[in-house]
Amino acid sequence: MEKPQLPIINAEFYEFVVLYFQSRNVHRWEWVPYKCFKVLISYLTGIRDIDTLRSIFEKLMQMGYFEKRKIASKTEYLFIFD
């Protein structure tokens, strides 16, 4: 069985995700675990592949939209909105 066709991921795709996060006021959530962002990205894009969702999130981290903190074994992220 073939995997479903994934959308082309370009700069506009990431801008769209960031705009959605801004419109949902995600920056007001403060520090939350990765799974909350994974669910939002999946809902927005329709992508269900876990590896693809993680790569999208990591790219957004590289672009500077998230701050990471680790307390003991728990890792949380803060969405940065200027």
Side-chain angles (χ1 to χ4, degrees):
M1 187 170 171
E2 291 183 33
K3 282 191 166 187
Q5 186 76 16
L6 295 175
I8 297 172
I9 299 177
N10 55 21
E12 291 177 353
F13 177 87
Y14 293 107
E15 289 174 20
F16 178 66
V17 173
V18 169
L19 285 172
Y20 181 75
F21 284 175
Q22 292 171 349
S23 70
R24 292 286 306 262
N25 292 318
V26 172
H27 60 283
R28 293 186 182 166
W29 294 1
E30 298 292 324
W31 295 95
V32 293
Y34 160 72
K35 66 183 176 181
C36 295
F37 297 111
K38 179 184 76 168
V39 170
L40 267 183
I41 295 169
S42 178
Y43 169 75
L44 176 63
T45 62
I47 298 171
R48 302 287 182 250
D49 181 52
I50 296 170
D51 295 330
T52 305
L53 292 171
R54 186 65 181 187
S55 68
I56 292 168
F57 183 77
E58 288 176 356
K59 177 67 174 177
L60 290 170
M61 286 262 313
Q62 290 174 356
M63 294 169 77
Y65 288 108
F66 289 97
E67 193 174 314
K68 177 181 176 180
R69 79 172 178 187
K70 191 165 178 88
I71 300 175
S73 64
K74 191 164 101 173
T75 304
E76 297 175 323
Y77 300 91
L78 173 69
F79 179 70
I80 300 169
F81 175 48
D82 294 334

